[in-house]
Amino acid sequence: MAHAIPFARMNGLGNEILVADLRGQTKRITPDAARALAARAETHFDQIMAIHDPVTPGTSAYIRIINSDGSESGACGNGMRCVVQALAAETGERDFVFETRAGLLEAREREDGMLTVDMGKPRFDWQAIPLSEEFADTRAIELQIGPIDAPILHSPSVASMGNPHAIFWVSEDVWSYQLDRFGPILEHHPLFPERANISLARVTSKASLDLRTWERGVGLTKACGSAACAAAVCAARTGRTGRSVTITVPAGGELLIEWLDNDHVLMTGPAEWEWSGTLDPETGAFSRDEAALETAS
Ligand SMILES: N[C@H](CCC[C@H](N)C(=O)O)C(=O)O
């Protein structure tokens, strides 16, 4: 591999993340490389967080977010926590300002090792999400799946956290719905010209909810940080919860989401390093570091 770059396999509450270091060079991870990495069990991922040199002065890095189908997103909460943990370990710094396609965001590693990312301000206007037709009130839009007179899922809240989200409120266990069947249909629904992340949320108290997500460009994942933020703000906005919510995700872990008075959404949770290696950003060929292999064997 002539052009190998370092990367780390990590996860954020089970959301499978590759953090790739492209600082100091102009190369980008190609969609083909992303799909090749996603197709192999060892490197199968939900998102690649590609760290590039900063573009805007005063920022720590520019982060490109790549889904497993090779498409790009403006936000990835779980991946951003992984980036913070990796860079904090490398530099000893705790506070960072990152730039993504969706703008600037601040993040930090706390003393207790938890990672907090300021996911910015949610957007609720229909053009920002975006929707393909006008809805004056996005707290509940007209969209349903199942029989017309007895829909299985209906009236989602929609929001943008830098990426599009639809949140369907359910009263049964989030596992009792066939999200693997409905997810792809709703992700590609004509109402969402840029497709959408589709979540099922069950409110369990005024300060907690269970969440399961079908991710745009990926499929079912074990957790989705930006969906957790979207679900929390939509829950607060519709009076289902207060503005501070603990979200339980399928892998069993928890994220704390706080919607501050200044409209910013803070997400706090863990990240975990699994192993490191090098990869070719053009082909996706990779190898694991020997030290990691020794530890694993
Ligand atoms: N796993 C991510 C979401 C990735 C977003 C992506 N699926 C899209 O919007 O295309 C998260 O923790 O926020």
Side-chain angles (χ1 to χ4, degrees), residues 280-297:
D280 182 330
E282 266 157 39
T283 65
F286 77 97
S287 66
R288 284 172 74 143
D289 288 350
E290 275 171 37
L293 285 176
E294 276 161 26
T295 318
S297 58

PDB file of all heavy atoms in Angstrom, residues 280-297:
ATOM      1  N   ASP A 280      -5.606   2.402   2.393  1.00  0.00           N
ATOM      2  CA  ASP A 280      -5.396   3.149   1.153  1.00  0.00           C
ATOM      3  C   ASP A 280      -6.695   3.888   0.835  1.00  0.00           C
ATOM      4  O   ASP A 280      -7.725   3.244   0.594  1.00  0.00           O
ATOM      5  CB  ASP A 280      -5.044   2.147   0.035  1.00  0.00           C
ATOM      6  CG  ASP A 280      -4.766   2.853  -1.282  1.00  0.00           C
ATOM      7  OD1 ASP A 280      -5.353   3.932  -1.517  1.00  0.00           O
ATOM      8  OD2 ASP A 280      -3.977   2.309  -2.075  1.00  0.00           O
ATOM      9  N   PRO A 281      -6.664   5.237   0.859  1.00  0.00           N
ATOM     10  CA  PRO A 281      -7.916   5.992   0.686  1.00  0.00           C
ATOM     11  C   PRO A 281      -8.534   5.849  -0.697  1.00  0.00           C
ATOM     12  O   PRO A 281      -9.695   6.209  -0.893  1.00  0.00           O
ATOM     13  CB  PRO A 281      -7.505   7.446   0.949  1.00  0.00           C
ATOM     14  CG  PRO A 281      -6.032   7.488   0.798  1.00  0.00           C
ATOM     15  CD  PRO A 281      -5.501   6.117   1.079  1.00  0.00           C
ATOM     16  N   GLU A 282      -7.771   5.330  -1.672  1.00  0.00           N
ATOM     17  CA  GLU A 282      -8.336   5.178  -3.010  1.00  0.00           C
ATOM     18  C   GLU A 282      -8.996   3.823  -3.226  1.00  0.00           C
ATOM     19  O   GLU A 282     -10.002   3.715  -3.915  1.00  0.00           O
ATOM     20  CB  GLU A 282      -7.263   5.399  -4.066  1.00  0.00           C
ATOM     21  CG  GLU A 282      -7.260   6.845  -4.528  1.00  0.00           C
ATOM     22  CD  GLU A 282      -5.947   7.252  -5.114  1.00  0.00           C
ATOM     23  OE1 GLU A 282      -5.341   6.440  -5.830  1.00  0.00           O
ATOM     24  OE2 GLU A 282      -5.513   8.382  -4.818  1.00  0.00           O
ATOM     25  N   THR A 283      -8.415   2.779  -2.606  1.00  0.00           N
ATOM     26  CA  THR A 283      -8.947   1.435  -2.862  1.00  0.00           C
ATOM     27  C   THR A 283      -9.657   0.827  -1.660  1.00  0.00           C
ATOM     28  O   THR A 283     -10.456  -0.097  -1.807  1.00  0.00           O
ATOM     29  CB  THR A 283      -7.803   0.470  -3.233  1.00  0.00           C
ATOM     30  OG1 THR A 283      -6.943   0.352  -2.077  1.00  0.00           O
ATOM     31  CG2 THR A 283      -7.011   0.977  -4.417  1.00  0.00           C
ATOM     32  N   GLY A 284      -9.316   1.297  -0.464  1.00  0.00           N
ATOM     33  CA  GLY A 284      -9.895   0.697   0.739  1.00  0.00           C
ATOM     34  C   GLY A 284      -9.083  -0.499   1.240  1.00  0.00           C
ATOM     35  O   GLY A 284      -9.462  -1.120   2.231  1.00  0.00           O
ATOM     36  N   ALA A 285      -7.970  -0.848   0.556  1.00  0.00           N
ATOM     37  CA  ALA A 285      -7.102  -1.916   1.081  1.00  0.00           C
ATOM     38  C   ALA A 285      -6.579  -1.460   2.446  1.00  0.00           C
ATOM     39  O   ALA A 285      -6.296  -0.281   2.651  1.00  0.00           O
ATOM     40  CB  ALA A 285      -5.944  -2.154   0.130  1.00  0.00           C
ATOM     41  N   PHE A 286      -6.494  -2.391   3.417  1.00  0.00           N
ATOM     42  CA  PHE A 286      -6.067  -1.962   4.747  1.00  0.00           C
ATOM     43  C   PHE A 286      -5.206  -3.037   5.393  1.00  0.00           C
ATOM     44  O   PHE A 286      -5.183  -4.192   4.958  1.00  0.00           O
ATOM     45  CB  PHE A 286      -7.286  -1.690   5.644  1.00  0.00           C
ATOM     46  CG  PHE A 286      -7.938  -2.947   6.155  1.00  0.00           C
ATOM     47  CD1 PHE A 286      -7.650  -3.444   7.429  1.00  0.00           C
ATOM     48  CD2 PHE A 286      -8.823  -3.655   5.354  1.00  0.00           C
ATOM     49  CE1 PHE A 286      -8.232  -4.615   7.883  1.00  0.00           C
ATOM     50  CE2 PHE A 286      -9.408  -4.831   5.803  1.00  0.00           C
ATOM     51  CZ  PHE A 286      -9.112  -5.315   7.076  1.00  0.00           C
ATOM     52  N   SER A 287      -4.461  -2.631   6.433  1.00  0.00           N
ATOM     53  CA  SER A 287      -3.819  -3.639   7.284  1.00  0.00           C
ATOM     54  C   SER A 287      -3.870  -3.161   8.725  1.00  0.00           C
ATOM     55  O   SER A 287      -3.890  -1.952   8.988  1.00  0.00           O
ATOM     56  CB  SER A 287      -2.384  -3.913   6.841  1.00  0.00           C
ATOM     57  OG  SER A 287      -1.611  -2.768   7.046  1.00  0.00           O
ATOM     58  N   ARG A 288      -3.938  -4.142   9.639  1.00  0.00           N
ATOM     59  CA  ARG A 288      -3.981  -3.803  11.062  1.00  0.00           C
ATOM     60  C   ARG A 288      -2.571  -3.632  11.588  1.00  0.00           C
ATOM     61  O   ARG A 288      -1.652  -4.305  11.140  1.00  0.00           O
ATOM     62  CB  ARG A 288      -4.667  -4.930  11.842  1.00  0.00           C
ATOM     63  CG  ARG A 288      -6.164  -4.919  11.661  1.00  0.00           C
ATOM     64  CD  ARG A 288      -6.802  -6.128  12.271  1.00  0.00           C
ATOM     65  NE  ARG A 288      -6.835  -6.070  13.719  1.00  0.00           N
ATOM     66  CZ  ARG A 288      -7.847  -6.538  14.461  1.00  0.00           C
ATOM     67  NH1 ARG A 288      -8.899  -7.077  13.857  1.00  0.00           N
ATOM     68  NH2 ARG A 288      -7.819  -6.486  15.763  1.00  0.00           N
ATOM     69  N   ASP A 289      -2.402  -2.712  12.545  1.00  0.00           N
ATOM     70  CA  ASP A 289      -1.085  -2.548  13.167  1.00  0.00           C
ATOM     71  C   ASP A 289      -0.698  -3.835  13.876  1.00  0.00           C
ATOM     72  O   ASP A 289      -1.551  -4.489  14.476  1.00  0.00           O
ATOM     73  CB  ASP A 289      -1.117  -1.402  14.193  1.00  0.00           C
ATOM     74  CG  ASP A 289      -1.198  -0.051  13.515  1.00  0.00           C
ATOM     75  OD1 ASP A 289      -1.040  -0.003  12.269  1.00  0.00           O
ATOM     76  OD2 ASP A 289      -1.445   0.941  14.222  1.00  0.00           O
ATOM     77  N   GLU A 290       0.615  -4.163  13.820  1.00  0.00           N
ATOM     78  CA  GLU A 290       1.055  -5.413  14.447  1.00  0.00           C
ATOM     79  C   GLU A 290       0.780  -5.444  15.942  1.00  0.00           C
ATOM     80  O   GLU A 290       0.367  -6.459  16.483  1.00  0.00           O
ATOM     81  CB  GLU A 290       2.539  -5.635  14.199  1.00  0.00           C
ATOM     82  CG  GLU A 290       2.761  -6.305  12.860  1.00  0.00           C
ATOM     83  CD  GLU A 290       4.219  -6.336  12.492  1.00  0.00           C
ATOM     84  OE1 GLU A 290       5.039  -6.521  13.414  1.00  0.00           O
ATOM     85  OE2 GLU A 290       4.511  -6.158  11.299  1.00  0.00           O
ATOM     86  N   ALA A 291       1.016  -4.311  16.600  1.00  0.00           N
ATOM     87  CA  ALA A 291       0.785  -4.266  18.045  1.00  0.00           C
ATOM     88  C   ALA A 291      -0.657  -4.666  18.354  1.00  0.00           C
ATOM     89  O   ALA A 291      -0.919  -5.441  19.276  1.00  0.00           O
ATOM     90  CB  ALA A 291       1.069  -2.877  18.582  1.00  0.00           C
ATOM     91  N   ALA A 292      -1.583  -4.170  17.508  1.00  0.00           N
ATOM     92  CA  ALA A 292      -3.004  -4.481  17.732  1.00  0.00           C
ATOM     93  C   ALA A 292      -3.248  -5.967  17.536  1.00  0.00           C
ATOM     94  O   ALA A 292      -4.000  -6.592  18.273  1.00  0.00           O
ATOM     95  CB  ALA A 292      -3.865  -3.662  16.779  1.00  0.00           C
ATOM     96  N   LEU A 293      -2.563  -6.552  16.519  1.00  0.00           N
ATOM     97  CA  LEU A 293      -2.748  -7.973  16.258  1.00  0.00           C
ATOM     98  C   LEU A 293      -2.237  -8.805  17.425  1.00  0.00           C
ATOM     99  O   LEU A 293      -2.850  -9.769  17.842  1.00  0.00           O
ATOM    100  CB  LEU A 293      -2.002  -8.378  14.979  1.00  0.00           C
ATOM    101  CG  LEU A 293      -2.667  -7.925  13.679  1.00  0.00           C
ATOM    102  CD1 LEU A 293      -1.802  -8.281  12.485  1.00  0.00           C
ATOM    103  CD2 LEU A 293      -4.032  -8.579  13.525  1.00  0.00           C
ATOM    104  N   GLU A 294      -1.060  -8.372  17.945  1.00  0.00           N
ATOM    105  CA  GLU A 294      -0.503  -9.117  19.093  1.00  0.00           C
ATOM    106  C   GLU A 294      -1.454  -9.071  20.283  1.00  0.00           C
ATOM    107  O   GLU A 294      -1.694 -10.062  20.943  1.00  0.00           O
ATOM    108  CB  GLU A 294       0.846  -8.517  19.508  1.00  0.00           C
ATOM    109  CG  GLU A 294       1.994  -9.067  18.676  1.00  0.00           C
ATOM    110  CD  GLU A 294       3.216  -8.180  18.744  1.00  0.00           C
ATOM    111  OE1 GLU A 294       3.362  -7.471  19.754  1.00  0.00           O
ATOM    112  OE2 GLU A 294       3.993  -8.189  17.784  1.00  0.00           O
ATOM    113  N   THR A 295      -2.009  -7.887  20.529  1.00  0.00           N
ATOM    114  CA  THR A 295      -2.921  -7.757  21.667  1.00  0.00           C
ATOM    115  C   THR A 295      -4.139  -8.648  21.469  1.00  0.00           C
ATOM    116  O   THR A 295      -4.647  -9.251  22.393  1.00  0.00           O
ATOM    117  CB  THR A 295      -3.413  -6.292  21.789  1.00  0.00           C
ATOM    118  OG1 THR A 295      -2.304  -5.465  21.560  1.00  0.00           O
ATOM    119  CG2 THR A 295      -3.998  -6.006  23.134  1.00  0.00           C
ATOM    120  N   ALA A 296      -4.589  -8.700  20.191  1.00  0.00           N
ATOM    121  CA  ALA A 296      -5.812  -9.458  19.917  1.00  0.00           C
ATOM    122  C   ALA A 296      -5.591 -10.961  20.033  1.00  0.00           C
ATOM    123  O   ALA A 296      -6.499 -11.710  20.352  1.00  0.00           O
ATOM    124  CB  ALA A 296      -6.321  -9.115  18.522  1.00  0.00           C
ATOM    125  N   SER A 297      -4.331 -11.434  19.762  1.00  0.00           N
ATOM    126  CA  SER A 297      -4.135 -12.886  19.721  1.00  0.00           C
ATOM    127  C   SER A 297      -3.830 -13.459  21.099  1.00  0.00           C
ATOM    128  O   SER A 297      -3.602 -12.758  22.044  1.00  0.00           O
ATOM    129  CB  SER A 297      -3.014 -13.235  18.751  1.00  0.00           C
ATOM    130  OG  SER A 297      -1.838 -12.580  19.161  1.00  0.00           O
TER     131      SER A 297
END
